[in-house]
Structures are given as structure tokens and as C-alpha cells.
Amino acid sequence: TAPATLAQGTRTAIAFVREPSSGALAIGGAIGFWAFNIAILWASFHAFDVSVPLGVVVQGFFVGMVANLFPLAPGGVGAVDAGMIGAFVLFGLPESEVFAAVLVYRAIAFWLPIPPGIVAFFQLRTTVRRWELEWFYQRGASLFFPDAWERYLAPIPRSEQGDLIAAYHRRL
């Protein structure tokens, strides 16, 4: 619920204030994320020769980001864009340039990271699969099932027990 989420967020913020060392990285990361997104938006406006005061860019950015609070679309696609475009038009900026600048900003800040993210996802899956294999077939299972582990090791000579998967593969 909204009150429970607000209460949890408030408790987390208070904990960060009480323990600055644990919260500095989180707060610094959030501020850096916002700053870089605002810089991309500002650069998008300048790409279309629209001179916008930094304060207007910051306010328009955060008005648009309010749309992320409403679960209408994943990642605020469409809603954030409409919020930003509406805010900048209300600030008196030309509509066609605002539309183009906001779409370029969203393409860079939202869509451009997706292909490298897909590559990273598959690399992470490969790494986790290797960790799982090492855990179940190299050493992890011995912690929970020591008797079964001894029976598993028995057919493999001590000299080959460094890589049990390869040792069993050779015996297939």
C-alpha cells in the first residue's frame, strides 16, 4: 500500500541520515543518475537549438518523472514523455522542438541501454550457471550431504578431483 511504502522509504532515509557511510553511496548514486539524465535532456534541447535555462530543464524533468509513480506503463513509457512535453510547453518552449528533444532524450536515456543490458543479462546467466555447476558438483553439495558426497567422489581418483565435471565427463 502507499502508506506502507512511504513509511518504509522514510525509515530508510532516516537510517541513511543516521549512518552516513552506508547511505552516501546510495544517495550519491541517485543524485548522479538524476544529474546525468538531466544533462542528457539539456543536451537534447541544445541539439535542436533550443536554449532552455537549467532550472526549467530540472523542473520539467522531475514533473515528467512523476509519471513513473503511476503504474500505467512499464518504465513510464509514454506517460513520462507526455509529462515532460506538457511541462516544457507550459514553460513556453516551442512545441515541435520540445517534442523532438524529449523523444531524443528518451531514446538515449531509456532505449539505448537496452541492447547492452541484454548482452550483460546473457553473460550473467552464463556466469551464474557456472557458479551453480561448481556449487552442486564441485564442493557445495558436500556441505549439506557429506555421506552422498563421499559416494559421489569414490569413483574418481584423488588426482582428478579438482574438476569433477570433467572427470565424470571422461568416464561417459
Side-chain angles (χ1 to χ4, degrees), residues 1 34 45 51 54 57 64 69 107 122 133 157-158 164 171-172:
T1 65
W34 289 334
F45 276 112
S51 180
L54 182 60
V57 175
L69 299 175
F122 286 111
L133 289 172
R158 173 86 71 206
L164 293 170
R171 283 158 179 73
L172 290 177

Side-chain angles (χ1 to χ4, degrees), residues 124-142 149 152-153 161-166 168-169:
L124 180 61
R125 282 188 54 166
T126 302
T127 302
V128 169
R129 185 174 295 122
R130 187 184 74 246
W131 290 343
E132 288 175 339
L133 289 172
E134 288 175 2
W135 172 258
F136 287 114
Y137 301 109
Q138 286 299 122
R139 59 185 156 282
S142 67
W149 186 256
Y152 174 69
L153 287 180
Q161 289 183 2
D163 187 356
L164 293 170
I165 295 173
Y168 271 102
H169 185 262

Side-chain angles (χ1 to χ4, degrees), residues 27-40 58 61-62 65 105:
I27 292 170
I31 291 170
F33 174 78
W34 289 334
F36 281 110
N37 271 278
I38 290 168
I40 293 168
V58 171
F61 172 80
F62 283 113
M65 286 298 131
Y105 157 73

